[in-house]
Structure formats: structure tokens, C-alpha cells
Amino acid sequence: MNFLPVFAKMVELFLIVIISYVAARFGVMNRTVKASLSKIILNISLPCTILASVASAKDFPTGPQLAKLLAVSFSSYLVLYILAKITGVILGFKGKQRGAAEFGIMFCNVGFIGYPVTQAIFGNDSLLYTTMFNLPFNLLCYSLGVSMITGGSEKKNNEEKTNYLEKLKSILLTPAMIASIVALIMALAQVKPPVLLGDTFTIVGGITTPGALLVIGAALAEMPVKDMFSNAKAYIYTLISVIITPLIIFATYRPFTADDPLLLGVAVIISAMPVATAGTMLCVEYGGDEKLMAQVTFLTTVISVITIPLLAVLLPS
């Protein structure tokens, strides 16, 4: 895979982030606009993108291929969990810092930036694969991820624990999660939606890529610039997150995906994504290390413009 075409695509995507960043600095993309746009993406356009991945698929994976896809997507989070624990120890993070660091390694930005990037690199056929990687993300991010951020003591009393469980239940029943399950069922049944519905999903899903990037740019604009470059460990962490981690995923799954280079490619690129923006929001809500999470989110987002095209060059055609 050539570097320049992929790099050009990443620059195009990042320019949208820059536009939104500037707009946010001038008050055009304020918090209200960002929150509303985020809701539209999560509840309308992203589910349509997921369903459109089924409608636009040229060929469905066979039963064994789909089983392998699910096995790789779920087991990759076990690999990432181990790497997250090792990273926290190597860099000497303690307490809340360690929780934020572990979260960032394990949970990459699959939902917002994963779809546009994998589509830009691999084409529409990758959308169904990305959807399958989004399943374990949604299942684990708001359960295990919260436990990481809070150090395993996310709630003190019964009332707070009940609220946490209710929130977890509501997150797992989001339109995006439901759409992912429907897409999985349709793929298993080898069934596509009617053309009229499929075209509608594709049109509405077209909002996802620019909209998600606008949200990311607005979120980055809320982070104090002077704090983004003040932590030396954050730089080392960033290199581990966007270079070493995807290379380990590549080495781990290459022997098992020789017959499906697209699966290997999506697994590697997903693991090379910036830290999930959900991490900062969860740190705010559950008392995690918001500063470190914001630092690594910013740094991994910026450097991934270079590192993702470099990793794409290593992937089989």
C-alpha cells in the first residue's frame, strides 16, 4: 500500500478537524453545537453508516470468515488489555494516572474516527469489519473502561452503583449498538436491506465522517494548549499507543489472517487510532485523571496523521 495516497486521505480528514478547531476557538462550534452534533451522529448517522455497511457489501463474509472476524475483534481487546497493563507499569504511572493510561491504550477512537479512516484506506468493504470491532468496544469501554479510570472503585454507595448500572445499560442499548447487532445478524443471514433503504442509510450515513471530525476538532479546542505539551511521559506513551501497539497487533494476528488481509488491516489500523474521546468525558464524570487523558488524546490525534499512513504501508495489499 502506497504511503502518499493514504497520507493525503489522512490530511484531508485532519483538515476538517482543524477547521472545526478554529471554528470552536471563534465560538462557532460552541459546546451546545458540539453536543447536538454529537447526538445526531451517535443516534442517527452512525447507526445508518453501520447498516449501510451491510447494504453496500459486495460479498458477505462466509460463516467461518465471520467467526474469525468476531474472534479477532474480541480477542484483540484481550491483547490490548495486557499491553495497557504493561504500559502503565513501564511508565511508572500511579493511581488515577495509571487508570487513564490503561484506558487510552485499550480503547481507541473506533466510533468517531475509525469509520472514516478505515473507509478512506480500505474502501466501503471495511465498514462491516469496523462495525464488528465496534461491538467489543461498546461492551467494554463503559464497563471495564470505567473500572480502569476509577481504579476499580467506581461507586461507593448503592444509589450511585444503581445509577452507574442504569447508565451502562442505556449505553449498551444505544442506536449504534443496536445497529451493530442488526448488521451482525444480517451478515450471518447473508441478507441485505432493500435497495431503497440501503440508499437511504448511505445518504444519512454520509454525515458521519465530516460530523465526527468536526466534533473531534471542537473537543480538542476545549483543551488548554499549554497543558498538551508539558508531560514528557505523554510523548513516550503516545509512541507506544500509535506505533508499538499496532505493530504488536500486526505480529500477533498476521499468522492467522493470511487468507483475509482486510481483516488484518482493519485490526491494525483500529489499534493505531487516537485515544477514544470518550475517555476524557468518563474522567470528568467518574473523577479520573482528566489532564493526562486530554494530553494523550491530543497528542495521539495529531501524530496519527503520520503514523497511520506509515503503518498502512506495511500491510498486505
Side-chain angles (χ1 to χ4, degrees):
M1 195 171 292
N2 294 327
F3 174 82
L4 287 179
V6 178
F7 176 70
K9 286 292 184 183
M10 289 300 299
V11 170
E12 289 174 7
L13 298 177
F14 194 69
L15 285 175
I16 300 175
V17 175
I18 296 298
I19 290 170
S20 178
Y21 182 92
V22 174
R25 287 293 184 181
F26 281 94
V28 178
M29 280 287 294
N30 55 40
R31 287 193 173 189
T32 302
V33 174
K34 185 194 75 172
S36 298
L37 181 57
S38 181
K39 285 184 178 180
I40 291 171
I41 293 166
L42 290 173
N43 296 307
I44 300 175
S45 71
L46 182 55
C48 285
T49 297
I50 293 169
L51 294 173
S53 69
V54 177
S56 63
K58 294 179 181 177
D59 297 301
F60 284 116
T62 63
Q65 287 175 326
L66 196 56
K68 180 185 288 188
L69 171 55
L70 289 171
V72 171
S73 65
F74 276 87
S75 65
S76 67
Y77 279 85
L78 175 59
V79 177
L80 292 173
Y81 178 79
I82 296 170
L83 293 175
K85 292 295 182 181
I86 293 173
T87 300
V89 173
I90 290 176
L91 294 181
F93 287 126
K94 303 292 184 181
K96 292 181 179 180
Q97 276 198 334
R98 176 171 292 188
E102 290 175 353
F103 179 98
I105 293 292
M106 187 169 181
F107 298 105
C108 302
N109 202 330
V110 182
F112 272 117
I113 200 171
Y115 284 96
V117 170
T118 54
Q119 185 179 29
I121 296 174
F122 304 111
N124 289 336
D125 287 346
S126 67
L127 293 176
L128 182 59
Y129 283 64
T130 306
T131 295
M132 295 304 103
F133 277 87
N134 208 32
L135 279 170
F137 176 92
N138 284 328
L139 288 170
L140 296 172
C141 179
Y142 303 100
S143 51
L144 177 60
V146 171
S147 180
M148 286 178 163
I149 286 173
T150 60
S153 57
E154 58 270 9
K155 294 302 169 190
K156 300 292 186 182
N157 56 55
N158 291 334
E159 183 180 354
E160 288 179 326
K161 186 174 182 180
T162 300
N163 291 336
Y164 167 70
L165 292 174
E166 288 178 353
K167 183 174 179 62
L168 175 61
K169 181 180 178 181
S170 67
I171 288 170
L172 295 179
L173 294 177
T174 57
M177 189 65 177
I178 293 170
S180 297
I181 295 171
V182 171
L184 174 59
I185 293 172
M186 294 179 73
L188 286 169
Q190 305 281 301
V191 174
K192 291 185 179 183
V195 175
L196 182 62
L197 275 179
D199 290 345
T200 302
F201 292 146
T202 300
I203 292 170
V204 178
I207 302 172
T208 301
T209 294
L213 297 171
L214 289 173
V215 170
I216 290 171
L220 292 177
E222 295 177 359
M223 302 177 187
V225 176
K226 63 179 181 180
D227 291 341
M228 294 301 102
F229 305 98
S230 60
N231 187 345
K233 285 185 178 180
Y235 290 95
I236 301 173
Y237 176 93
T238 298
L239 293 177
I240 295 173
S241 175
V242 300
I243 296 178
I244 296 177
T245 295
L247 287 177
I248 291 174
I249 292 293
F250 176 80
T252 301
Y253 289 102
R254 189 177 186 183
F256 308 105
T257 56
D259 59 336
D260 195 348
L262 179 58
L263 173 55
L264 176 62
V266 171
V268 171
I269 296 301
I270 288 295
S271 68
M273 293 292 163
V275 173
T277 51
T280 301
M281 293 182 286
L282 291 174
C283 280
V284 171
E285 184 165 356
Y286 294 101
D289 194 320
E290 182 183 352
K291 183 176 179 180
L292 177 62
M293 190 71 79
Q295 287 174 333
V296 296
T297 300
F298 177 83
L299 291 173
T300 54
T301 299
V302 172
I303 198 172
S304 65
V305 177
I306 299 293
T307 55
I308 286 178
L310 287 173
L311 288 166
V313 172
L314 299 176
L315 296 173
S317 301

